[in-house]
């Protein structure tokens, strides 16, 4: 459902992605691992259309459409979800308001009727319960004063509510305690492990991959995919480190 | 000190401190002696809403001048928005009795080359009074928003607690805001706080919203709503708060 071909991208004139190719089929979970600074977050942002990330070559097709042609909000409405490595705080806007506006904007874009306040709250409660996040957290302003782990959990509640067909999750596991990691992993499985959906899971650790088991593991280094394997590749990386695995 | 302000006997110019950033040329033919005088009796409460919005009878220059005497232990609350008129000015002079409280929330919004402003003078004439003013200004095009606020604390007005808080949000490069706090404090045991900042929309927040499906006009509206909400936190009446918010956001949507 997502085909990335020979993608190159720059930030402020510096080349970060350098001919990256990757294809994710429906029903698949792909993990991306790679050293700090390799370009993993850059890939996520390029897929999410973040301003300042300039595509200089290649193309990306998402469910048959040219993803790079779409505005960021159109990508979301088309079913693309980007989980942020560093979720953003929005003072003055509550999670409930934010997510209701987001969901209804997506629905409007797709020509669907908006949810009423009551319908939305029911959905929000259900997804907050799935991620074991207290409903009171959703009444607070978006990510303001949330701990690192709470932010990641809240992001997964967002994903549950918006119900995307494809998720790019950038280090959703970082900052989570052991129990939270399990809750978030189970949440990802419940929301995204469905026929017709796909996941690109960016992570440094093998622990999340024990809960959300990937069909493929890729190593991203210096802006491109340098190695692809099965879930075993993640074990091997954990045991031996990047230098050794990439040299092999 | 019973009279707290002097009426202009001549046309003001920009050399006059309280008209520094005003569109004084727009005052031609406008009656300046339009002060409305209100006395809030001791122990009582009085609140008022001032709305300058687009409408058939809105003039190109809108001047609202209010002089309030807040009696001992009395409470006065003003919530106001200047969202229409080429030049709109809301001017409030307050004299505070012992232990009185004055609460003000003000909003200016506007684009093109409009000028919209709040000018306040709060005189703490007796001890133990408190005053709190919050103004939020959102401007675009070549629009200007001003807050000129002076606080006078007389010699005997001990235990005065006065605060003034201004924030400006500029949506375009040509827009501007001016904040001129002026504190004259002659008592020693007082608290006076003032703050003024100017900023632009948080583009990181806007991208985060876009990534969740919120288009640019809507993210701007939500952030502006959050921003001006600060000026209305002291307003307990939901209907009035919604009305003021709607006037501001309608103007923003029209982007005129
Ligand atoms: N705004 C920017 N301006 C200049 N360089 C940037 C900018 N953002 C990222 N980079 C650079 O791009 C490279 C890739 O960064 P990226 O954040 O994609 O790495 P990453 O693989 O996600 O790393 P990590 O594992 O630490 O999260 C890094 O060298 C980084 O310094
Ligand atoms: Mg990263």
């Amino acid at each position: 459902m997502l085909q990335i071909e020979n993608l190159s991208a720059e930030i402020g004139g510096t080349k970060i992605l350098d001919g990256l190719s990757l294809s994710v089929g429906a029903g698949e979970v792909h993990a991306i691992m790679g050293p700090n600074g390799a370009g993993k977050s850059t890939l996520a942002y390029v897929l999410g259309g973040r301003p300042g990330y300039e595509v200089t070559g290649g193309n990306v097709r998402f469910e048959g459409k040219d993803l790079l042609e779409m505005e960021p909000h159109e990508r979301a409405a088309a079913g693309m979800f980007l989980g942020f490595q560093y979720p953003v705080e929005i003072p003055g806007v509550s999670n409930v308001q934010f997510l209701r506006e987001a969901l209804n904007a997506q629905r409007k874009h797709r020509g669907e009727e908006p949810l009423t306040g009551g319908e939305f709250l029911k959905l929000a409660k259900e997804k907050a319960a799935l991620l074991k996040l207290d409903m009171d957290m959703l009444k607070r302003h978006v990510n303001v004063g949330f701990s690192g782990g709470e932010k990641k959990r809240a992001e997964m509640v967002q994903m549950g509510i918006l119900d995307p067909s494809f998720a790019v999750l950038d280090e959703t596991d970082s900052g989570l305690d052991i129990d939270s990691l399990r809750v978030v992993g189970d949440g990802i499985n419940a929301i995204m492990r469905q026929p017709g959906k796909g996941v690109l899971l960016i992570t440094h650790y093998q622990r999340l991959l024990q809960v959300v088991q990937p069909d493929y593991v890729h190593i991203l280094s210096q802006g491109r995919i340098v190695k692809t394997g099965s879930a075993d590749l993640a074990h091997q990386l954990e045991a031996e480190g990047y230098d050794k695995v990439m040299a092999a | 000190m019973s009279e707290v302000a002097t009426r202009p006997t001549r046309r003001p110019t920009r050399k006059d401190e309280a008209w520094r950033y005003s569109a004084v040329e727009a005052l031609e033919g406008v009656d300046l002696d339009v002060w409305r005088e209100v006395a809030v009796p001791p122990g009582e409460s009085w609140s008022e809403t001032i709305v300058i919005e687009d409408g058939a009878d809105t003039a190109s220059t809108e001047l609202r001048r209010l002089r309030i005497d807040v009696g001992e232990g009395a409470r006065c609350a003003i919530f106001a928005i200047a969202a229409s008129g080429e030049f709109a000015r809301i001017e409030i002079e307050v004299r505070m009795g012992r232990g009185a409280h004055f609460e003000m929330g003000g909003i200016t919004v506007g684009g093109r080359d409009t000028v919209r402003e709040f000018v306040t003078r709060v005189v703490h004439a007796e001890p133990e009074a408190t005053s709190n003013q919050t103004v939020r200004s959102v401007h675009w095009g070549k629009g200007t928003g001003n807050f000129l606020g002076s606080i006078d604390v007389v010699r005997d007005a001990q235990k005065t607690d006065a605060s003034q808080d201004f924030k400006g949000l500029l949506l375009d490069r040509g827009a501007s805001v001016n904040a001129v706090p002026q504190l004259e404090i002659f008592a020693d045991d007082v608290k006076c706080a003032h703050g003024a900042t100017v900023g632009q929309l948080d583009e990181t927040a806007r991208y985060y919203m876009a990534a969740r499906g919120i288009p640019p006009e809507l993210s701007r509206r939500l952030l502006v709503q959050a921003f001006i909400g600060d000026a209305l936190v002291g307003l307990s009446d939901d209907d009035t708060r919604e009305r003021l918010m709607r006037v501001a956001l309608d103007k923003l949507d029209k982007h005129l």
Side-chain angles (χ1 to χ4, degrees), chain A residues 53-132:
Chain A
Y53 290 71
E54 202 202 335
V55 175
T56 52
N59 64 76
V60 181
R61 298 197 76 75
F62 176 50
E63 294 187 312
K65 291 179 292 253
D66 183 349
L67 185 76
L68 302 179
E69 278 292 298
M70 294 185 223
E71 295 295 319
H73 69 279
E74 296 170 339
R75 299 180 195 204
M80 171 73 71
F81 180 91
L82 174 57
F84 284 59
Q85 182 172 359
Y86 304 107
V88 177
E89 300 185 2
I90 314 179
V93 179
S94 76
N95 280 287
V96 169
Q97 184 187 22
F98 171 56
L99 286 166
R100 192 178 162 203
E101 296 283 2
L103 180 60
N104 282 337
Q106 289 197 19
R107 292 178 68 92
K108 187 172 171 192
H109 198 87
R110 296 190 293 254
E112 299 164 7
E113 287 295 309
L115 290 195
T116 64
E119 288 166 335
F120 174 78
L121 276 181
K122 187 164 170 277
L123 178 67
K125 274 189 189 129
E126 187 188 304
K127 301 305 174 184
L130 179 69
L131 272 306
K132 299 191 165 63

Side-chain angles (χ1 to χ4, degrees), chain A residues 93-97 99 120 123-125 127-128 133-142 146 154 157-158 161:
Chain A
V93 179
S94 76
N95 280 287
V96 169
Q97 184 187 22
L99 286 166
F120 174 78
L123 178 67
K125 274 189 189 129
K127 301 305 174 184
L133 191 81
D134 199 78
M135 213 27 215
D136 285 344
M137 297 284 291
L138 290 191
K139 291 181 185 137
R140 284 167 50 181
H141 295 171
V142 179
F146 284 27
V157 175
Q158 295 181 13
I161 290 169

Side-chain angles (χ1 to χ4, degrees), chain A residues 48 73 76 82 102 105-106 143 155 158, chain B residues 207-208 210-213 222 225-226:
Chain A
H73 69 279
L82 174 57
Q106 289 197 19
N143 292 322
E155 286 248 298
Q158 295 181 13
Chain B
Y207 175 66
Y208 192 61
R212 298 292 174 259
L222 290 170
Q225 185 177 7

